[in-house]
Amino acid sequence: MQETLRIATDQLQIAADFLRTGKTVAFPTETVYGLGADALNAQAVEKIFLAKGRPSDNPLIVHIASIAQLDEIASDISFLAKRLIERFWPGPLTIVVRRKSQVPNIVTAGLDTVAVRMPEHATARELIRLANRPIVAPSANCSGRPSATTWESVLADLDGRIDAIVCGGPTRIGLESTVVDATGTEPIILRHGAITQEMIASACGEVASGSSELQVRSPGTRHRHYQPQAKVQLVEDLFELNPSSQRCGMIGLSEAEHRDLIETRLKNRFPQATVRLCASQEEYASELFEFFRHCDRLGLDRIYCQRVPHLGLGRAIMDRLQRAAE
Ligand code: AMP
Ligand code: MG
């Protein structure tokens, strides 16, 4: 066990020096907390796989703070990639491009491509700028568990296993970035996120997503993911439930104007349940993983999650829910 140093957001130089000397540092982004290391230092990157218990065939996303850093790691940037960069960076979009040979194999799991993102979060950008090198940053959680959206949840998984953490606020979006393969002429969505399929279609025209053949291109999607200890079950309507144990978790969505009323009705109907009703898809996305962790802390054995329509951000929510329920 090592001590994990807590670093305030106004002390980023300390965190950047850690990264520059091959150490691991968790930090907030607009999606979820990331666990950072110097992308060009294979030994530093290896520490991330060890700390998370991450399978070595799951490649990492490289985070950058400037377009100049993209040129250090990527080659043959396609017209399509340029269009996506122009439209969505900085932001929660990861773009898969051809890689340069100086990117260590451990980062890309041996692929000839590399996944890159320029986050918009001020702390994340400033940290990468100060570190002055590209930073790999997978979600800062034990592999397989729900991503961490608060620094407290990062430490619940990784305290004593990582060198430091930048203690910022909770993350805004709460789900991992959208991943798009931009090595061809048409974007292929490998993972849904807050940059939605509709947004990408309106920027680029055609979009492909979803088929199992395409998923093979994104090795991480093969692994167990996002799972709390409690069993997750998806339902259409929370009111129609007849739970075997009332000591369960329930999370769902309601129209904003009726949220409080419907939440009270649910609580009256299931007085021993832990109920969370969200007023928008954005709120559902940002609350979901922390709700999973909350239910685990309470020792609940089942969490019922209301399905949402497969549209916009709903695609990303349903993707995480389905994988949590596997
Ligand atoms: P994480 O950082 O834990 O949220 O996971 C990173 C995601 O990006 C995984 O789903 C990976 O499969 C995907 N990914 C990373 N690098 C590549 C790549 N070169 N090609 C395709 N997918 C990638
Ligand atoms: Mg992850």
Side-chain angles (χ1 to χ4, degrees):
M1 270 302 241
Q2 61 198 48
E3 186 159 353
T4 298
L5 181 70
R6 277 80 161 155
I7 299 173
T9 49
D10 60 359
Q11 297 192 315
L12 291 180
Q13 189 62 57
I14 299 173
D17 290 344
F18 266 47
L19 290 170
R20 292 170 67 85
T21 52
K23 296 194 167 84
T24 53
V25 181
F27 61 91
T29 79
E30 69 273 24
T31 57
V32 298
Y33 270 72
L35 176 57
D38 178 349
L40 302 178
N41 176 341
Q43 282 171 335
V45 177
E46 197 180 350
K47 292 181 189 168
I48 286 187
F49 283 89
L50 288 174
K52 292 193 50 155
R54 184 179 176 102
S56 59
D57 65 349
N58 190 355
L60 302 177
I61 296 172
V62 180
H63 292 65
I64 57 173
S66 66
I67 292 295
Q69 285 184 320
L70 180 65
D71 295 328
E72 288 178 46
I73 54 175
S75 64
D76 309 324
I77 309 287
S78 63
F79 176 79
L80 171 62
K82 286 188 184 137
R83 177 100 187 95
L84 290 166
I85 289 168
E86 195 181 292
R87 181 70 186 71
F88 298 111
W89 276 6
L93 180 72
T94 295
I95 306 176
V96 174
V97 292
R98 299 257 164 246
R99 73 152 167 165
K100 281 211 169 117
S101 58
Q102 44 272 57
V103 180
N105 274 327
I106 187 172
V107 170
T108 63
L111 297 173
D112 59 1
T113 54
V114 61
V116 192
R117 177 163 99 87
M118 187 190 289
E120 88 189 23
H121 194 285
T123 302
R125 288 270 295 289
E126 181 63 4
L127 176 59
I128 300 162
R129 195 187 66 76
L130 289 171
N132 196 25
R133 59 202 65 200
I135 300 294
V136 287
S139 53
N141 54 277
C142 287
S143 207
R145 302 254 302 133
S147 299
T149 59
T150 63
W151 66 263
E152 291 91 341
S153 290
V154 175
L155 289 181
D157 276 20
L158 299 174
D159 200 6
R161 304 175 65 86
I162 59 177
D163 293 305
I165 177 167
V166 176
C167 299
T171 60
R172 177 172 64 81
I173 295 167
L175 300 181
E176 305 76 6
S177 60
T178 309
V179 179
V180 174
D181 184 324
T183 55
T185 52
E186 176 176 309
I188 303 170
I189 297 183
L190 302 177
R191 177 173 74 186
H192 290 286
I195 301 297
T196 63
Q197 183 169 320
E198 291 81 353
M199 291 160 75
I200 293 169
S202 85
C204 305
E206 291 302 295
V207 185
S209 85
S211 92
S212 53
E213 189 269 317
L214 297 176
Q215 300 284 315
V216 172
R217 293 175 188 240
S218 188
T221 56
R222 288 199 295 265
H223 295 286
R224 198 171 67 81
H225 246 317
Y226 318 121
Q227 292 176 346
Q229 267 125 34
K231 200 157 173 29
V232 172
Q233 193 173 325
L234 310 194
V235 298
E236 289 303 325
D237 182 354
L238 294 170
F239 279 98
E240 287 181 0
L241 274 175
N242 195 358
S244 51
S245 159
Q246 289 242 12
R247 279 201 80 243
C248 60
M250 293 184 181
I251 184 166
L253 189 62
S254 144
E255 281 165 43
E257 60 209 281
H258 305 305
R259 200 266 305 268
D260 293 350
L261 178 71
I262 296 176
E263 192 172 74
T264 307
R265 278 195 203 148
L266 261 180
K267 285 179 175 162
N268 288 340
R269 173 101 171 250
F270 304 107
Q272 295 179 63
T274 299
V275 174
R276 182 80 181 81
L277 214 53
C278 305
S280 64
Q281 289 198 334
E282 285 72 18
E283 198 177 311
Y284 201 155
S286 77
E287 299 278 325
L288 181 66
F289 289 143
E290 201 49 40
F291 185 75
F292 281 176
R293 286 172 174 271
H294 178 62
C295 292
D296 278 351
R297 286 192 292 269
L298 294 175
L300 307 181
D301 52 25
R302 200 166 276 268
I303 304 171
Y304 296 98
C305 303
Q306 190 184 2
R307 294 174 193 277
V308 296
H310 273 273
L311 281 176
L313 186 58
R315 293 180 215 267
I317 296 172
M318 282 305 293
D319 166 64
R320 304 316 187 270
L321 288 179
Q322 274 159 347
R323 297 170 58 80
E326 271 170 10

